[in-house]
Amino acid sequence: IQKANLNVLVDPNNGAGAIADPLLLDHLGVRYTILNGEPNGIFSHDSEPLEKNLSDTMNTMKNGDFDIGFVQDADADRLVILDETGRFIGEDYSLALSVDYVLSKAQNPKKVVVNLSTSKVIEYLTNKHHATLTYTKIGETNVTQGIKDHKATVGGEGNGGVIFPKVGWGRDSLVGIMLALSYLAESKQKVSEIVQSYPQYTLLREKCAVSNREEIATLLGKVREHYKNHPMNTEDGVKISFENAWIHIRPSNTEPIVRIFIESESSRQNQAYLQEVKQVCGV
């Protein structure tokens, strides 16, 4: 990494990363610029590291000479990556970059554990590296337990949460930064080139309010019946798998809502699946 002469932009959004990032990046010997680097907890933009909240950071990337951009959430356990043009590559693809690199270095048996709402790009990478893939219920603790149970090489959640058990048992953006920089330094590829080599999926997140728990059970029952001829996982709500798409419907652990996750190869296809699900559920 020190020899690669990488130029990095990092946005910890005035959170915990503002303390940790300089320690890591100085040690690695990279050139870097920190946006919103005062660790005062007064966020400069919404604390969710989503594309809609990062226009200023993305513009800084576009107007600078950076190789990669990193954005963290408030407690620095989630990481999202911007490519060298300032494009938001997506939370799942930020995880994918780390998983790809770790698997390329790992010895057999290679094992990956992610939650059920994680992109199919991880499935592509496990096939690419002849690894096994296990899905768990939503939640960091469930993924971590799955990693321990299966003695997995790497894992995480599609919200940009990398879990690398050689370092620790929780989501860790600093590990993600280290793995991404290692990938760039060794491959001498641009972020955009790496991501473009992956299948391109689009993820839709939706939610529907419900009045009680009994209503949730009824909705899930309708979904199971309608899609009974498709591969299905009922460990955490209902997840239906198609050749190049999936639908995951599950009750929220914290709110009186049902969450709907849909991933396919296009936004149009996602909307078509969403309308179908709403029709099936009567919402």
Side-chain angles (χ1 to χ4, degrees), residues 101-174:
Y101 179 74
V102 170
L103 292 180
S104 73
K105 298 294 182 182
Q107 300 295 316
N108 289 325
K110 303 175 184 179
K111 300 178 181 179
V112 179
V113 174
V114 295
N115 72 37
L116 282 162
S117 288
T118 303
S119 172
K120 281 176 69 69
V121 70
I122 303 300
E123 181 182 314
Y124 163 80
L125 291 172
T126 54
N127 290 333
K128 170 185 171 183
H129 293 288
H130 307 289
T132 59
L133 177 61
T134 301
Y135 290 102
T136 73
K137 295 173 68 174
I138 305 300
E140 180 181 4
T141 55
N142 295 318
V143 177
T144 295
Q145 190 60 52
I147 291 172
K148 290 181 178 180
D149 291 344
H150 295 277
K151 296 180 172 60
T153 315
V154 66
E157 297 190 289
N159 59 9
V162 181
I163 304 175
F164 189 35
K166 282 189 175 183
V167 175
W169 293 110
R171 298 181 305 199
D172 189 338
S173 66
L174 300 176

Side-chain angles (χ1 to χ4, degrees), residues 149-259:
D149 291 344
H150 295 277
K151 296 180 172 60
T153 315
V154 66
E157 297 190 289
N159 59 9
V162 181
I163 304 175
F164 189 35
K166 282 189 175 183
V167 175
W169 293 110
R171 298 181 305 199
D172 189 338
S173 66
L174 300 176
V175 166
I177 288 173
M178 185 73 186
L179 295 174
L181 292 177
S182 297
Y183 198 158
L184 292 189
E186 293 184 25
S187 70
K188 296 180 172 55
Q189 290 180 282
K190 297 178 179 178
V191 176
S192 60
E193 294 171 339
I194 296 170
V195 173
Q196 195 57 42
S197 71
Y198 302 155
Q200 301 302 301
Y201 295 108
T202 300
L203 182 65
L204 180 150
R205 295 181 176 91
E206 185 63 86
K207 58 186 178 182
C208 295
V210 294
S211 56
N212 53 58
R213 303 294 294 183
E214 290 71 24
E215 186 178 349
I216 292 175
T218 301
L219 291 179
L220 295 180
K222 291 178 179 178
V223 172
R224 287 194 298 270
E225 175 62 25
H226 183 79
Y227 293 105
K228 61 184 178 182
N229 294 324
H230 295 276
M232 186 179 300
N233 183 306
T234 57
E235 186 178 358
D236 187 359
V238 181
K239 181 178 180 179
I240 307 98
S241 296
F242 308 96
E243 183 177 356
N244 290 308
W246 53 266
I247 300 169
H248 187 196
I249 304 166
R250 62 179 297 272
S252 168
N253 293 327
T254 57
E255 303 174 77
I257 60 174
V258 171
R259 298 191 185 278

Side-chain angles (χ1 to χ4, degrees), residues 76-88:
D77 63 351
R78 290 169 55 190
L79 177 75
V80 297
I81 291 174
L82 307 178
D83 73 11
E84 72 282 357
T85 71
R87 186 176 72 92
F88 180 86

